[in-house]
Amino acid sequence: MYDPTRLAALVAVAEAGSITRAADRLGYTPPALSQQLAKLEREAGTALLVRHHRGARLTEAGEVLVARARRVLDELEQARHELARLTGLSGGVLRLGTFPTAGVHLLPPALSAFRRAHPDVELSVADYDPPAGVAAVAAGEVDLALTHAYHPGEAAAVPASVGLEPVLVEELVLVTAPGHALSSASSRLPLELLAGQPLISMAPHHPARREVEALLAEAGATPALLVPTPGYAVVCALVSAGLGVAVVPEMVARTAVTPVGVRPLEAGRLRRTISVAFRPDEVAPAAEAFRALLHGAFGRARQTPVGQRPSR
């Protein structure tokens, strides 16, 4: 059996006409390449090259071996591509679903890393307001979908064909206009101190936010402005303009386009869990690889403290 690396070295010398030029092409030093060729000649039991002052030429035995080696190396390369296609990481499509916050702030780093590792996989991304992404996974419209759930909150029904894997748990925090008294301290704010504060109410009838809004109302926050659809960019802009305070996910607060003050709330009362929905019975290597990347990207997202913006 001949070592494919040494066969490739012999082919390179045949094409380049010299060991030095072949070494440059392959990334070897000339002495290292000469050692590989000497080992190949010992395996063949005969001389394969004639060295001369202008380079090297093949012997008759070398010409026979190069002709065969080219076919062997072509077959090995074809096998590599076929195996890559079988694993789903060369060619094919990975279809992703996301909701706006994750699509803007969390998905791009993972997508970028995936594209670098697997450039032949075609990517598509679609927006789904949770829990619609879970239904899209169940229906086969997408391979993976990012979704979220609030605590306190009613757990949305998950089809039996879909698995949910938590990838990030983030707190809900208070956002205020810049310079607001409530955001002047960094300690955790008891919910009771929201009593009498004008609250920009965030979709109080939306199932995901219903119980969060009820808890804020119970604490005494006074609804001052209603945003009936879940659009956090609008909420932060209204807060920045001094129209009230709001409670939003930590990620939203620290990436707000408009300037806002941020104050953590008492620990554990309000939070949001971001999960990836997938079909456990349909294990696609591309989807599995992307789920692993999500954990890495979301792990980095955890490292920025409340009130600080990530470096750009």
Side-chain angles (χ1 to χ4, degrees), residues 33-89:
L33 185 58
S34 292
Q35 289 178 8
Q36 292 294 322
L37 293 168
K39 290 178 181 178
L40 182 61
E41 287 181 320
R42 287 196 294 272
E43 290 173 348
T46 186
L48 301 172
L49 291 167
V50 175
R51 284 85 167 168
H52 52 81
H53 69 280
R54 289 180 298 179
R57 64 175 177 81
L58 296 172
T59 65
E60 185 177 355
E63 290 176 352
V64 170
L65 188 55
V66 163
R68 298 286 185 179
R70 285 192 172 107
R71 277 179 267 179
V72 169
L73 294 172
D74 286 345
E75 287 294 325
L76 289 174
E77 181 66 11
Q78 182 63 29
R80 186 183 70 81
H81 285 295
E82 289 177 3
L83 289 173
R85 282 195 294 273
L86 285 175
T87 62
L89 295 175

Side-chain angles (χ1 to χ4, degrees), residues 275-295:
S275 301
V276 58
F278 61 100
R279 294 185 296 276
D281 294 338
E282 299 179 22
V283 180
E288 292 295 303
F290 193 76
R291 281 169 58 198
L293 284 172
L294 285 177
H295 281 283

Side-chain angles (χ1 to χ4, degrees), residues 96-99 102-103 106-107 128 130 133-134 137 144-148 167 274-277 290 294 298:
L96 304 169
T98 187
F99 58 94
L106 293 177
L107 199 56
Y128 293 96
V134 175
V137 171
L144 301 173
L146 293 171
T147 188
H148 62 58
V167 289
I274 297 175
S275 301
V276 58
F290 193 76
L294 285 177
F298 283 31

Side-chain angles (χ1 to χ4, degrees), residues 151 171-172 187-191 264-271:
H151 179 84
E171 296 184 19
L172 303 189
S187 59
R188 291 186 175 274
L189 181 73
L191 292 184
L265 299 170
E266 56 186 273
R269 296 291 298 276
L270 302 170
R271 60 185 184 271

